[in-house]
Amino acid sequence: MFSEEDTAFADEVRDFVHSNLDQDVRRRVICAQPVSLEEKRVWHATLARQGWAAPHWPVEWGGTGWSPAKNYLFVETLAEEGAPELSPFGLQLLAPVLIRYGTEQQKRSYLPKILSGEHRWCQGFSEPGAGSDLASLKTRAVLDGDQWVINGQKMWTTVAHAADMMFCLVRTDPDAPRPQMGISMLLIDMKNTPGVDVRPIMLLNGERTTNEVYFDNARVPAANLVGEVNEGWNYTRVVLGNERLNIARVGLCKRQLRHLEQVVGRSGLSGEGRKRIRRHIAGVALDLMSVEALSLRMLGRYQLGDAPGFEANFLKLKGAELQQRLTRLLVEATGPSALRLGADGEDSNLLKNHFDTRVVSIYGGSSEVQRNIVAKGMLGLTKPASTAVKGARA
Amino acid sequence: MFSEEDTAFADEVRDFVHSNLDQDVRRRVICAQPVSLEEKRVWHATLARQGWAAPHWPVEWGGTGWSPAKNYLFVETLAEEGAPELSPFGLQLLAPVLIRYGTEQQKRSYLPKILSGEHRWCQGFSEPGAGSDLASLKTRAVLDGDQWVINGQKMWTTVAHAADMMFCLVRTDPDAPRPQMGISMLLIDMKNTPGVDVRPIMLLNGERTTNEVYFDNARVPAANLVGEVNEGWNYTRVVLGNERLNIARVGLCKRQLRHLEQVVGRSGLSGEGRKRIRRHIAGVALDLMSVEALSLRMLGRYQLGDAPGFEANFLKLKGAELQQRLTRLLVEATGPSALRLGADGEDSNLLKNHFDTRVVSIYGGSSEVQRNIVAKGMLGLTKPASTAVKGARA
Amino acid sequence: MIDTQDDVRRMLADGVDRLLEREYGFEQRDAMRKAMATGQGLDKSVLWPRLEELGIFMLAADKDAVQDPASLGHMSVVAEAMGRGLAIEPALPAMLGARLAALAGTAGVLADGQLAVVAPSILHGRESGFGAEAMDGGWRLSGQEDVWLGGDAAQILLLSARDMQGVPHLFAMPADQPGVTCTPYQLFDGRGAANVALNSVETNPAYLVAQGEALADAFERIELEASLLNACDAVGAMRGANALTLEQLQTRHQFGRPIGAFQALQHRMVDMSLVLELADALVAQAMVAACNGPDAGGWRLACGALVRTALSSRQIAEETVQMHGGMGLTEEYPAAHYFARLTSFELLYPAEEWTERFARLAPLDKAA
Amino acid sequence: MIDTQDDVRRMLADGVDRLLEREYGFEQRDAMRKAMATGQGLDKSVLWPRLEELGIFMLAADKDAVQDPASLGHMSVVAEAMGRGLAIEPALPAMLGARLAALAGTAGVLADGQLAVVAPSILHGRESGFGAEAMDGGWRLSGQEDVWLGGDAAQILLLSARDMQGVPHLFAMPADQPGVTCTPYQLFDGRGAANVALNSVETNPAYLVAQGEALADAFERIELEASLLNACDAVGAMRGANALTLEQLQTRHQFGRPIGAFQALQHRMVDMSLVLELADALVAQAMVAACNGPDAGGWRLACGALVRTALSSRQIAEETVQMHGGMGLTEEYPAAHYFARLTSFELLYPAEEWTERFARLAPLDKAA
């Protein structure tokens, strides 16, 4: 799968993390302790200086021109070694849309600041009645002269409270024959637009990571429309289809697995309890192998020119399950003191971290939505030729 | 739950089985080896002589007048001790319908022969296009003078090839506004009716236990209609609602569990393999406890006058799962020789028996149908008052 | 819940339910959880006196109560309501403390309304973390045990320590005794707990409640009862979580229909209901058996009840959050709170550990 | 299947598929299964010569083939097709027999087209059930091993026996040698097998294939390869079962719609497809690694491939029958046959046993 050059490169990435990432930040990432937005910004700048902030972008905008295999290894190695994740909204989700559909002016204005980390972006997609069912979104935008006037409400807007900008789906034609039509994508300045109100949604973990955003006659320049009016739904597909190659988060799981093994290795567990947890760890490790095998197969086919198919949905589903099993096992291995809430010591907050991981089967297309998509493809849209033997009654 | 009299009675039933059931038949029931129809008839006659063939019937027709608790204990104790199961079609399924809706003539003609075991009945419900969806059945019956003329096909007709009689659902009004209406129940003499053709359906286990039955202008007397014409669907509910108290088959599971424990106890399994199987056995034993607890709760409520609710569906679902886990564990405990097909020795045919047990989540309302029924009741027909605490957004 | 015609129990159930559902809504109770999170400790001025009025101590501690098989059932009603209501007050630890004192034959050692909390080693049948050294007119105690549920608010610590000869002693130690370090904290589910360390604490002889091997009976009984009462709390929480999820399926719309119209979710909801009913029925049966004390049959049923409740709790906790989507993670909606409460239970009473314990209770070889 | 541009492999795949799908349909192949059930033994006049023509022995036995990493991949193509096609002919045992002779450096010991079957103890890495005693000009062998897959049709038995000094010897014993009792029978999945007992069998010295500790390498390698090839058979059967079930969902109607319109069944079908793809991808990866021989990395991947394939097989076997309803139990429809085939695999390679084996390969303590 990987050439010698590829694996040498992975070692280079590994060394880079060890040499350039603050050791305490790295420790906290590994133990799932909080890392501040500022600390993440420092790491973003470090990567940007190396030219590694957005390797998958076109070279002209600051990308690296690496092969898919190198891109894959880069992302998984960073995660495996405990690098904080950079916010995906600008780098991974918006940028490919801008590069493909944005005006020259938009590209020149936004891409460099995304690359450097100067601008933090958030994504205004979900609404109270439109989570998994995005097409039913209701936030309206009406063109008034050279401005769009926005009214409505977004929900589950991650880190909106700390964002400079939002890329936002709005309904621009309420009379479109199908709900997917009549949606446009607008760019909104979150710091300087009157009528934008960001209110926290507090999670049980006690953290404010997500928000409701209210628009009350908020006005943005007409030039902030991305691409064509009423074509936003198509751009959404580009957003949601992005970065599928690393969707299972194999590197993250490997890091969690290694951490778990170390915790159990150091723990006072003995006898049946130790055997039991080791059985479970072995089970997750084996399952992770199969997820990695499928990821590599998808990567291999991608390099031959095949777009990711159902594998991407499978890997999203199964990757979420693995992450949840791993955080759960860490709780089990730790015992009752994992129930403790508080910031002092590695043991505490483990249950909170496990709880946080429940979100991975909800966001970015819930596990239910993933199954619906595959079922639709398997049962309806495509009609696969049966390769099974057939009986007399078939 | 049970009085001292009840438990003394259970002991009496236990003794009766040990004293009156052929020991080799009992051994074969316990090891899930074949028991012939003739051997079952002998046991039926033995129970009938004792007055125990149909304890749940009204006393005037040969029932015992026992309390629900005694009836429950009787059925579970027979199963637990390895008594062959009597065919349910006449005793359990048809008889309650006949007693409630049949003519005096029908009762006097059929019930005594069901009680004695002289007549063997089969049930003509399912059709090729109407398995779980009974209401869509197509077999037609038209009244021609004083005879019903039947055309069509039944399927999955258990033991039709050895049956004297069939109770059969037929469509008598094809224009009824709803498919459930326009269905009637007819009694059909399987030995002496021209135009009835019974063809085997062979299962992979190599046994002919079920059949297709074709009707080609088969004629039965008008007097063989049960109850009113076009009211057959209502009688079906009586049939399907029967014997819900023993639906989880706790006694059977206890017997299987004890057999499994003995097999493992005698086996050469050691070390991790033995520990592993013991963990699984403990898991099934614990689960069986909860199924028994729910069965007893349903029995207790029934004695207070409550009809079985969702508990019956839950117990059907969970009872099927337990039976399947138990036959499966027997295979696992035995190892590769369980794969062997053949009649010599306890080891052989174990995989076949496990395969046979797959049917318990398919027949009598598949597990999918059970879940549909409960879901409909929980989500739609009844609107349960919420007893949960409610949040601001609820 | 236990099928019962028992009027006391029904009145008690009505009383606790009314208290937790009508008089103090979820928002009010949750405000207390948040207040505790800011380090203020448990506010015992609001719900606590009302729980005392309902007689929660008397249920457990009264000498007659211990003899009365019904008393365990009465406590179970309170435990189940606390779980369903997501109340963070240490009613269950309080009842268990009073109960243990009564079981040890010395209920009077506790003053009225004193919150005595039992050491986790006693509640979980483990070896004590404390040792006792006899000294002039008393004992000197040292050791540590972690995660005392309700320990943050405890006035008395009921703990066991063996002396140099290995004889167990039960002490009722004031939490503010010099040398006692009681580190309070909050659990993820909002309830309070503490770690307790004793550093050469010199005890007043009056703190000795009882001693000798006879304590083993009381300890085994409180272990059995505590585990089943915790299971009742979980059964209550499962009932609350299922009702909440059912309501979500009925009222939340997606793709133009209530999400309960989707069969995959329907079937999962049915399974949630199924596993709750199994747990509820078996916990009730085990509770009735436990009234006869901790004999082999009682422990068998208790193993079944704990394993089933742990497995059901995990399934219901995870499905409740998943079927609520993002809303299932928020602080202001009960779904996540149920997740936390149920996960606490099943981590404190791990299904696999209790399955192994059951396997040891009933060795196969006997059956052969 | 292994991603490949390898022309030989593709032609082989096309050849076996054409043979099993077009030239000999399910009904014809099943007639052979039924014939065997009547005690006639395996009919080697029909499919067998065609499989030989395809070169199944050469793939495995040719000396060059053993050196050629591609040969294992070629065998995997045949194994997968046999599983998908539910063929009962012992192609896999035959390939493994030829392969072991080649691995032991003595491929020539087998005559062309002779069906040599390897003892289960060798294939499963267990201690041999046979012992050898040196005698004038040969050995005297005794012992027993049960469930030799393909043993019913074997002409040669490849078995290992230690002599009195504990040195392992590999013998190629004619199945009809006096003193050899070969009890043939059919498995539930239709394939043939045998139990083999040796009662003081006096062997010709020519039957000794090889001896000494060097055999350990060949044995470990054949164990690894046999397990992965059996997994390929299961992957083929899973692919067949999934395609059949998908077709059932698309074509069978209930309540006025194709049953595939029901979301609960849809989601379960998706999960069946998911677990197949995981198994397929990992088996392929493990197969590539196995070409380098049985090193630690190869065994790690093999453990993963076997565990995943066993778990996936069980899920797909059970779901295939359940979603077919009554039809899933009948003899004339392939669903039940897939159930049997897949269950055989996962009972021969139990997921839990291989998980434990993996845990021993990679002790935690090293990671600490």
Side-chain angles (χ1 to χ4, degrees):
Chain A
M1 182 80 243
F2 297 113
S3 67
E4 273 182 42
E5 190 203 326
D6 290 338
T7 50
F9 167 71
D11 289 338
E12 188 191 337
V13 174
R14 219 174 294 275
D15 289 344
F16 183 83
V17 175
H18 288 261
S19 315
N20 293 280
L21 176 59
D22 181 273
Q23 284 307 301
D24 189 56
V25 169
R26 183 164 173 261
R27 184 193 60 76
R28 275 180 281 131
V29 169
I30 290 170
C31 299
Q33 304 286 330
V35 173
S36 70
L37 289 174
E38 181 50 30
E39 286 167 325
K40 287 183 188 169
R41 200 194 289 267
V42 168
W43 175 241
H44 187 141
T46 307
L47 284 174
R49 274 196 303 278
Q50 177 78 0
W52 286 358
H56 57 292
W57 286 12
V59 175
E60 58 171 313
W61 292 109
T64 55
W66 290 339
S67 68
K70 263 179 127 169
N71 264 313
Y72 175 91
L73 281 175
F74 177 72
V75 174
E76 300 298 7
T77 306
L78 283 188
E80 193 176 342
E81 294 306 316
E85 281 184 53
L86 305 192
S87 166
F89 299 112
L91 287 168
Q92 316 286 356
L93 305 181
L94 175 63
V97 177
L98 276 191
I99 288 167
R100 198 158 151 192
Y101 300 105
T103 62
E104 200 56 28
Q105 168 63 24
Q106 286 170 339
K107 291 184 215 182
R108 262 184 283 126
S109 161
Y110 298 117
L111 291 177
K113 288 177 179 164
I114 292 174
L115 190 66
S116 68
E118 186 184 339
H119 268 183
R120 197 179 282 123
W121 284 76
C122 66
Q123 170 182 281
F125 280 19
S126 295
E127 296 186 5
S132 290
D133 177 20
L134 259 190
S136 69
L137 65 86
K138 291 196 172 56
T139 296
R140 285 291 315 273
V142 177
L143 194 61
D144 178 25
D146 61 350
Q147 289 187 317
W148 290 98
V149 184
I150 311 173
N151 281 287
Q153 181 195 353
K154 292 290 167 182
M155 199 166 173
W156 312 119
T157 318
T158 305
V159 198
H161 59 294
D164 302 285
M165 295 289 300
M166 169 191 280
F167 58 103
C168 184
L169 291 182
V170 291
R171 186 161 298 286
T172 38
D173 179 3
D175 303 321
R178 289 173 50 236
Q180 288 84 349
M181 299 162 84
I183 292 174
S184 302
M185 187 182 287
L186 291 180
L187 308 178
I188 304 169
D189 184 331
M190 295 293 282
K191 300 288 189 201
N192 306 299
T193 308
V196 176
D197 182 15
V198 180
R199 300 183 202 163
I201 299 175
M202 296 302 290
L203 302 186
L204 185 60
N205 62 15
E207 285 166 15
R208 176 186 186 175
T209 53
T210 193
N211 303 272
E212 295 173 306
V213 181
Y214 291 83
F215 300 103
D216 178 13
N217 287 316
R219 291 176 168 265
V220 303
N224 282 20
L225 177 73
V226 178
E228 304 288 317
V229 74
N230 293 337
E231 290 295 321
W233 187 254
N234 293 326
Y235 312 152
T236 310
R237 293 210 198 128
V238 177
V239 173
L240 298 178
N242 246 305
E243 280 308 288
R244 311 286 273 181
L245 292 178
N246 298 96
I247 198 164
R249 311 186 81 182
V250 171
L252 169 66
C253 289
K254 284 185 178 172
R255 183 185 83 213
Q256 289 182 317
L257 181 64
R258 202 164 53 202
H259 178 59
L260 174 61
E261 284 170 342
Q262 286 170 351
V263 167
V264 173
R266 284 195 304 259
S267 79
L269 277 172
S270 63
E272 286 303 317
R274 190 180 177 84
K275 272 194 186 166
R276 200 189 312 130
I277 197 86
R278 287 187 56 172
R279 270 201 310 273
H280 288 302
I281 291 176
V284 181
L286 292 169
D287 232 14
L288 177 55
M289 263 184 219
S290 67
V291 167
E292 184 170 23
L294 191 58
S295 295
L296 295 178
R297 166 172 286 186
M298 184 167 77
L299 172 61
R301 291 182 179 170
Y302 181 77
Q303 286 182 303
L304 296 175
D306 292 352
F310 296 150
E311 296 103 328
N313 308 97
F314 292 156
L315 289 169
K316 168 71 165 68
L317 273 168
K318 193 69 189 175
E321 181 206 309
L322 279 177
Q323 291 167 58
Q324 291 171 345
R325 278 164 67 191
L326 281 161
T327 55
R328 160 87 193 190
L329 281 177
L330 196 54
V331 170
E332 287 181 24
T334 304
S337 49
L339 304 180
R340 181 172 177 180
L341 198 61
D344 49 347
E346 281 187 21
D347 275 6
S348 66
N349 286 325
L350 291 181
L351 183 52
K352 168 180 131 24
N353 290 329
H354 174 53
F355 172 75
D356 286 347
T357 309
R358 300 314 302 177
V359 83
V360 298
S361 53
I362 293 172
Y363 70 15
S366 69
S367 291
E368 288 76 15
V369 167
Q370 302 296 337
R371 288 191 171 90
N372 287 343
I373 291 169
V374 178
K376 197 170 172 191
M378 277 176 43
L379 283 155
L381 300 184
T382 67
K383 177 91 177 171
S386 169
T387 55
V389 293
K390 288 176 196 170
R393 290 169 186 277
Chain B
M1 183 81 242
F2 297 113
S3 66
E4 273 182 43
E5 191 203 326
D6 289 339
T7 49
F9 166 71
D11 289 338
E12 186 191 338
V13 174
R14 220 174 291 277
D15 289 344
F16 183 83
V17 174
H18 288 262
S19 313
N20 294 280
L21 175 59
D22 181 274
Q23 284 306 303
D24 189 57
V25 169
R26 182 163 173 261
R27 183 192 62 76
R28 273 180 283 132
V29 169
I30 290 171
C31 300
Q33 304 286 329
V35 173
S36 71
L37 289 174
E38 179 52 30
E39 286 167 326
K40 286 183 188 170
R41 199 196 288 272
V42 168
W43 175 240
H44 187 142
T46 307
L47 284 174
R49 275 195 304 279
Q50 178 78 358
W52 285 359
H56 57 293
W57 287 12
V59 175
E60 58 172 313
W61 292 108
T64 55
W66 289 338
S67 69
K70 264 179 125 169
N71 263 314
Y72 175 91
L73 281 175
F74 177 72
V75 173
E76 299 298 6
T77 306
L78 283 188
E80 195 176 341
E81 294 306 315
E85 280 183 55
L86 304 192
S87 167
F89 298 112
L91 287 168
Q92 316 285 357
L93 305 181
L94 175 63
V97 178
L98 275 190
I99 289 167
R100 198 157 152 194
Y101 300 105
T103 62
E104 200 57 28
Q105 168 63 23
Q106 287 170 339
K107 292 185 212 181
R108 264 186 281 124
S109 161
Y110 298 118
L111 291 177
K113 288 176 179 163
I114 291 174
L115 190 66
S116 68
E118 187 184 338
H119 267 181
R120 193 178 285 123
W121 284 76
C122 66
Q123 170 180 280
F125 280 19
S126 293
E127 296 186 3
S132 290
D133 176 21
L134 257 190
S136 69
L137 64 86
K138 291 196 171 57
T139 295
R140 286 290 316 273
V142 178
L143 194 61
D144 177 26
D146 60 350
Q147 289 187 317
W148 289 97
V149 184
I150 311 173
N151 281 286
Q153 181 194 352
K154 292 289 168 182
M155 200 165 172
W156 312 120
T157 318
T158 306
V159 200
H161 58 295
D164 301 286
M165 296 289 300
M166 170 192 279
F167 58 102
C168 184
L169 291 182
V170 291
R171 185 160 299 284
T172 39
D173 180 2
D175 303 320
R178 289 173 50 237
Q180 289 84 351
M181 301 162 83
I183 291 174
S184 301
M185 188 184 286
L186 291 179
L187 308 179
I188 303 170
D189 183 332
M190 295 292 282
K191 301 287 190 202
N192 305 300
T193 307
V196 176
D197 182 16
V198 180
R199 299 183 202 164
I201 298 175
M202 296 304 290
L203 301 187
L204 184 61
N205 62 15
E207 284 166 18
R208 176 187 185 173
T209 53
T210 193
N211 303 272
E212 296 173 305
V213 181
Y214 291 84
F215 299 104
D216 178 12
N217 286 314
R219 291 176 167 266
V220 303
N224 282 21
L225 177 75
V226 178
E228 302 289 317
V229 73
N230 295 337
E231 290 294 322
W233 187 255
N234 294 327
Y235 313 151
T236 311
R237 292 210 199 129
V238 177
V239 172
L240 298 178
N242 245 304
E243 281 305 292
R244 309 287 273 182
L245 291 178
N246 296 97
I247 198 165
R249 313 187 81 181
V250 171
L252 169 66
C253 289
K254 283 185 178 172
R255 182 184 84 214
Q256 288 182 319
L257 180 64
R258 201 163 54 202
H259 179 58
L260 174 62
E261 285 170 340
Q262 286 170 350
V263 167
V264 173
R266 284 195 304 260
S267 78
L269 277 173
S270 62
E272 285 304 316
R274 190 180 177 84
K275 272 194 184 165
R276 199 187 314 131
I277 197 86
R278 286 187 58 173
R279 270 200 309 273
H280 289 302
I281 291 176
V284 180
L286 292 168
D287 231 15
L288 178 54
M289 264 185 215
S290 68
V291 167
E292 184 169 25
L294 190 58
S295 295
L296 295 177
R297 165 170 289 185
M298 183 168 76
L299 172 62
R301 291 183 178 169
Y302 181 78
Q303 287 182 304
L304 296 175
D306 292 351
F310 295 149
E311 296 103 327
N313 308 96
F314 292 156
L315 290 168
K316 169 70 166 66
L317 272 168
K318 194 70 188 175
E321 181 206 309
L322 279 177
Q323 290 167 59
Q324 291 171 344
R325 277 163 67 191
L326 282 161
T327 54
R328 161 86 192 189
L329 280 177
L330 196 53
V331 170
E332 286 180 23
T334 304
S337 48
L339 303 180
R340 182 172 176 180
L341 197 61
D344 49 348
E346 280 187 20
D347 277 5
S348 65
N349 286 326
L350 290 181
L351 183 52
K352 168 180 129 26
N353 290 329
H354 174 53
F355 171 74
D356 286 347
T357 309
R358 301 312 304 178
V359 82
V360 298
S361 53
I362 293 173
Y363 70 16
S366 70
S367 291
E368 289 76 16
V369 167
Q370 302 296 335
R371 288 191 172 91
N372 287 343
I373 292 169
V374 177
K376 198 172 172 188
M378 278 178 41
L379 283 155
L381 301 185
T382 68
K383 176 90 180 175
S386 168
T387 55
V389 293
K390 286 175 198 169
R393 292 168 185 274
Chain C
M1 204 201 282
I2 298 178
D3 289 314
T4 178
Q5 312 290 9
D6 175 340
D7 285 340
V8 179
R9 203 172 300 179
R10 216 160 7 186
M11 282 171 55
L12 192 59
D14 288 348
V16 196
D17 284 349
R18 195 168 46 238
L19 184 63
L20 293 177
E21 288 187 33
R22 268 170 273 169
E23 300 183 35
Y24 295 90
F26 170 70
E27 291 78 8
Q28 282 160 288
R29 294 198 306 284
D30 198 45
M32 290 158 73
R33 181 188 65 82
K34 286 183 198 160
M36 198 201 279
T38 65
Q40 299 171 26
L42 177 68
D43 182 351
K44 278 169 79 176
S45 69
V46 189
L47 259 174
W48 192 248
R50 305 293 308 277
L51 288 166
E52 284 192 283
E53 272 168 41
L54 278 166
I56 60 166
F57 288 108
M58 284 211 325
L59 293 176
D62 194 71
K63 246 184 217 159
D64 297 336
V66 172
Q67 302 307 321
D68 177 7
S71 71
L72 193 54
H74 296 162
M75 288 194 284
S76 77
V77 166
V78 176
E80 194 173 324
M82 297 293 285
R84 194 172 61 240
L86 293 167
I88 62 167
E89 281 69 18
L92 184 46
M95 292 193 292
L96 292 172
R99 182 87 172 169
L100 177 58
L103 287 171
T106 53
V109 76
L110 302 178
D112 257 6
Q114 257 190 333
L115 181 59
V117 172
V118 183
S121 66
I122 299 175
L123 295 182
H124 290 278
R126 290 194 299 258
E127 193 52 43
S128 164
F130 302 103
E133 209 180 330
M135 48 170 280
D136 263 6
W139 286 263
R140 186 182 291 117
L141 297 180
S142 289
Q144 165 138 13
E145 286 190 27
D146 290 349
V147 197
W148 298 51
L149 266 180
D152 58 312
Q155 294 158 302
I156 302 287
L157 303 168
L158 282 168
L159 58 90
S160 159
R162 290 187 190 274
D163 66 13
M164 309 298 275
Q165 284 71 47
V167 179
H169 293 61
L170 177 64
F171 293 95
M173 175 83 68
D176 55 4
Q177 179 82 351
V180 174
T181 311
C182 194
T183 312
Y185 49 84
Q186 195 167 24
L187 302 184
F188 185 60
D189 67 15
R191 288 183 288 183
N195 293 350
V196 173
L198 271 51
N199 186 10
S200 294
V201 178
E202 301 195 351
T203 65
N204 184 323
Y207 299 161
L208 180 67
V209 177
Q211 70 178 86
E213 289 307 328
L215 274 176
D217 290 340
F219 286 178
E220 195 185 349
R221 185 153 176 168
I222 202 75
E223 184 195 358
L224 177 67
E225 294 181 356
S227 62
L228 289 176
L229 288 169
N230 272 298
C232 288
D233 185 290
V235 166
M238 287 193 277
R239 206 167 283 291
N242 276 2
L244 194 72
T245 306
L246 184 61
E247 196 181 296
Q248 164 83 353
L249 292 185
Q250 288 167 326
T251 56
R252 167 119 174 102
H253 282 67
Q254 237 171 27
F255 304 104
R257 312 190 260 175
I259 59 173
F262 292 95
Q263 196 199 27
L265 298 189
Q266 287 179 356
H267 281 198
R268 285 158 58 187
M269 181 76 239
V270 170
D271 287 340
M272 289 167 74
S273 181
L274 162 61
V275 297
L276 163 58
E277 293 309 321
L278 289 174
D280 187 27
L282 187 51
V283 168
Q285 198 189 346
M287 196 64 94
V288 170
C291 293
N292 303 322
D295 58 5
W299 271 117
R300 272 178 62 88
L301 284 167
C303 286
L306 291 170
V307 170
R308 183 65 261 174
T309 304
L311 295 173
S312 300
S313 292
R314 180 170 184 180
Q315 182 174 343
I316 287 173
E318 294 181 355
E319 288 288 58
T320 295
V321 168
Q322 183 69 26
M323 294 218 230
H324 275 85
M327 194 61 86
L329 300 168
T330 63
E331 188 177 44
E332 60 187 314
Y333 198 74
H337 298 253
Y338 282 124
F339 177 92
R341 185 89 160 205
L342 289 169
T343 306
S344 287
F345 171 79
E346 48 113 2
L347 290 169
L348 288 168
Y349 292 93
E352 288 181 303
E353 203 172 306
W354 283 87
T355 302
E356 284 162 14
R357 183 157 169 175
F358 174 77
R360 287 194 301 273
L361 272 183
L364 276 189
D365 316 82
K366 257 175 45 189
Chain D
M1 205 203 280
I2 298 177
D3 289 314
T4 179
Q5 313 290 8
D6 175 340
D7 284 342
V8 178
R9 204 172 297 177
R10 214 160 8 186
M11 282 171 56
L12 192 58
D14 288 349
V16 197
D17 284 349
R18 194 167 48 236
L19 184 63
L20 293 177
E21 288 186 33
R22 269 171 270 168
E23 300 183 34
Y24 296 90
F26 171 72
E27 291 80 7
Q28 282 159 289
R29 294 198 306 283
D30 198 45
M32 289 157 74
R33 182 188 65 82
K34 285 183 196 157
M36 197 202 281
T38 64
Q40 300 171 25
L42 176 69
D43 181 352
K44 279 170 75 177
S45 69
V46 189
L47 259 174
W48 193 248
R50 304 295 309 277
L51 289 166
E52 285 192 283
E53 273 168 40
L54 278 166
I56 59 167
F57 287 107
M58 282 210 327
L59 292 177
D62 194 70
K63 245 183 216 160
D64 297 336
V66 172
Q67 302 307 321
D68 177 8
S71 72
L72 194 54
H74 297 160
M75 288 194 283
S76 77
V77 166
V78 176
E80 193 173 325
M82 297 294 285
R84 193 173 63 239
L86 294 167
I88 62 168
E89 281 69 17
L92 185 47
M95 291 192 293
L96 292 172
R99 181 88 172 167
L100 176 58
L103 287 171
T106 53
V109 74
L110 302 178
D112 256 7
Q114 257 190 332
L115 181 59
V117 172
V118 183
S121 67
I122 299 175
L123 295 182
H124 291 277
R126 290 194 299 259
E127 194 51 43
S128 165
F130 302 103
E133 208 179 330
M135 47 170 279
D136 263 7
W139 286 265
R140 187 182 290 117
L141 297 180
S142 288
Q144 165 137 14
E145 287 190 26
D146 289 348
V147 195
W148 299 49
L149 265 179
D152 58 310
Q155 293 158 301
I156 300 288
L157 304 168
L158 282 168
L159 56 91
S160 158
R162 289 187 190 274
D163 66 15
M164 310 298 276
Q165 285 73 45
V167 179
H169 293 61
L170 176 63
F171 293 96
M173 175 82 68
D176 56 4
Q177 179 82 352
V180 173
T181 312
C182 193
T183 312
Y185 48 85
Q186 195 167 24
L187 302 183
F188 184 60
D189 67 16
R191 288 182 288 182
N195 293 351
V196 172
L198 270 53
N199 186 10
S200 294
V201 179
E202 301 194 352
T203 65
N204 185 321
Y207 299 160
L208 179 68
V209 178
Q211 68 178 84
E213 289 307 329
L215 274 177
D217 289 342
F219 285 179
E220 194 185 350
R221 185 153 175 167
I222 201 76
E223 185 195 357
L224 177 67
E225 294 182 356
S227 62
L228 289 176
L229 289 169
N230 271 298
C232 288
D233 185 289
V235 166
M238 287 194 276
R239 207 165 281 292
N242 277 2
L244 195 73
T245 307
L246 184 62
E247 194 181 299
Q248 164 82 354
L249 291 185
Q250 288 167 325
T251 56
R252 168 120 174 101
H253 282 68
Q254 238 171 28
F255 304 104
R257 311 190 260 174
I259 59 174
F262 292 95
Q263 195 200 29
L265 299 191
Q266 287 178 355
H267 281 198
R268 286 158 58 187
M269 182 76 237
V270 170
D271 287 339
M272 289 167 74
S273 181
L274 162 61
V275 297
L276 164 58
E277 293 309 321
L278 289 174
D280 188 27
L282 188 50
V283 169
Q285 198 189 349
M287 196 64 93
V288 170
C291 293
N292 302 323
D295 59 6
W299 272 117
R300 273 178 62 89
L301 284 167
C303 286
L306 291 170
V307 169
R308 183 65 262 172
T309 305
L311 295 174
S312 300
S313 292
R314 181 170 183 179
Q315 182 174 342
I316 287 174
E318 293 181 356
E319 289 287 59
T320 295
V321 168
Q322 183 69 26
M323 295 217 228
H324 275 84
M327 194 60 84
L329 301 167
T330 62
E331 188 177 44
E332 60 186 313
Y333 198 73
H337 299 253
Y338 282 125
F339 178 92
R341 185 87 160 206
L342 290 169
T343 306
S344 287
F345 172 77
E346 49 112 4
L347 290 168
L348 288 168
Y349 292 93
E352 289 181 303
E353 204 173 303
W354 282 87
T355 302
E356 284 161 15
R357 183 157 168 175
F358 174 77
R360 288 194 302 272
L361 271 184
L364 275 187
D365 316 81
K366 257 176 43 189

